[in-house]
Amino acid sequence: MKSLLKALKRCAVAGAAALAVLSLQPVSAAQAAPAPVVGGTRAAQGEFPFMVRLSMGCGGALYTQQIVLTAAHCVGRTGPNTSITATAGVVDLQSSSRITVRSTYVYRAPGYNGDGKDWALIKLAQPVNLPTLKIATTTQYNNGTFTVAGWGANREGGSQQRYLLKANVPFVSDAQCRSYSGYGGLIPSEEICAGYTAGGVDTCQGDSGGPMFRRDASNQWIQVGIVSWGIGCARANAPGVYAEVSTFAAQIASAAAGL
């Protein structure tokens, strides 16, 4: 199973896999997906100011103004790393107002081996003066309507996008998710599934590491998941799988404090 999951990661350089986002009610087979398709619709400038594009072909979010939270499968081992460029502050990656900052250090989740624990931190050379995205510390928000955003492909096998796209998708229970072909290796204590039974709305290759988020009780954005793996893009009966942020919240905070 481990080798299969590695083949299905959603990093642009890792190949075509698919991801989704959650909503409040379990999805029935008859439930139809809304109008947006793979990758969704274009985000407005400033709508998700915490979004970051990483040069290896992944996404991420500003955990602090100098630390990006992304997926473990997007990075190498823990240690100094100046090879990654983070682009932030824009929807259009070619905008002249984009902010680009080099990395200085990578921290990959301890024990990451391709299954679960799919989170990592990237320290930037200097702070970025943009809003950050707080993370969930309990499972309180592991439900409801979630949003994902990224510059990944807008169709399975497609190319990366110039403009940031967004989409919404509904929650899929662990039991339902594990019933689908290829999802028996889901780790319920570390991963969350989401997507429409009928497919049609999803993230895709190149969206790995990006945040899955929703509104909290104060109507502020809160990150609940990290784009991790899936099968295809927006296929029926093939939900996306996310790293469950709340499971690792204490570890993430501790690691960030030491960077």
Side-chain angles (χ1 to χ4, degrees):
M1 188 64 192
K2 194 176 297 181
S3 60
L4 172 62
L5 296 191
K6 286 181 178 177
L8 297 177
K9 294 298 184 184
R10 295 197 168 180
C11 187
V13 297
L19 235 42
V21 237
L22 307 100
S23 130
L24 212 100
Q25 303 297 330
V27 187
S28 70
Q31 185 176 6
V37 291
V38 171
T41 56
R42 189 181 297 186
Q45 177 61 35
E47 187 174 3
F48 308 121
F50 44 76
M51 289 296 302
V52 175
R53 181 63 175 171
L54 300 170
S55 56
M56 83 288 281
C58 283
L62 289 172
Y63 176 73
T64 72
Q65 291 188 326
Q66 200 168 354
I67 296 175
V68 176
L69 177 60
T70 187
H73 74 265
C74 288
V75 302
R77 63 184 181 181
T78 297
N81 186 319
T82 59
S83 68
I84 302 167
T85 299
T87 301
V90 293
V91 167
D92 178 1
L93 292 177
Q94 296 182 24
S95 170
S96 60
S97 61
R98 67 187 183 275
I99 300 168
T100 57
V101 186
R102 299 288 283 187
S103 61
T104 61
Y105 196 91
V106 163
Y107 183 94
R108 190 170 67 179
Y112 173 74
N113 63 1
D115 288 343
K117 299 178 176 62
D118 199 5
W119 65 270
L121 299 174
I122 299 173
K123 185 174 183 180
L124 304 178
Q126 61 263 348
V128 177
N129 187 24
L130 289 169
T132 59
L133 178 61
K134 66 180 178 179
I135 66 172
T137 57
T138 72
T139 59
Q140 175 183 358
Y141 297 111
N142 287 6
N143 55 62
T145 299
F146 289 76
T147 299
V148 283
W151 289 270
N154 64 354
R155 61 181 176 82
E156 187 170 333
S159 59
Q160 305 302 287
Q161 299 298 295
R162 171 178 172 177
Y163 297 96
L164 181 67
L165 299 178
K166 63 179 180 178
N168 298 318
V169 246
F171 172 74
V172 175
S173 70
D174 293 337
Q176 182 178 351
C177 190
R178 295 184 76 177
S179 73
Y180 295 130
S181 177
Y183 289 81
L186 177 78
I187 305 173
S189 62
E190 299 183 1
E191 297 175 324
I192 304 173
C193 294
Y196 285 92
T197 302
V201 180
D202 205 353
T203 57
C204 204
Q205 65 266 20
D207 289 318
S208 280
M212 177 184 74
F213 48 98
R214 54 159 286 177
R215 298 289 186 176
D216 66 9
S218 301
N219 202 37
Q220 301 299 307
W221 291 122
I222 189 167
Q223 183 171 356
V224 178
I226 299 169
V227 176
S228 184
W229 63 276
I231 298 176
C233 294
R235 297 182 188 181
N237 301 315
V241 181
Y242 300 83
E244 186 178 273
V245 170
S246 61
T247 297
F248 307 106
Q251 294 179 56
I252 290 170
S254 177
L259 292 182

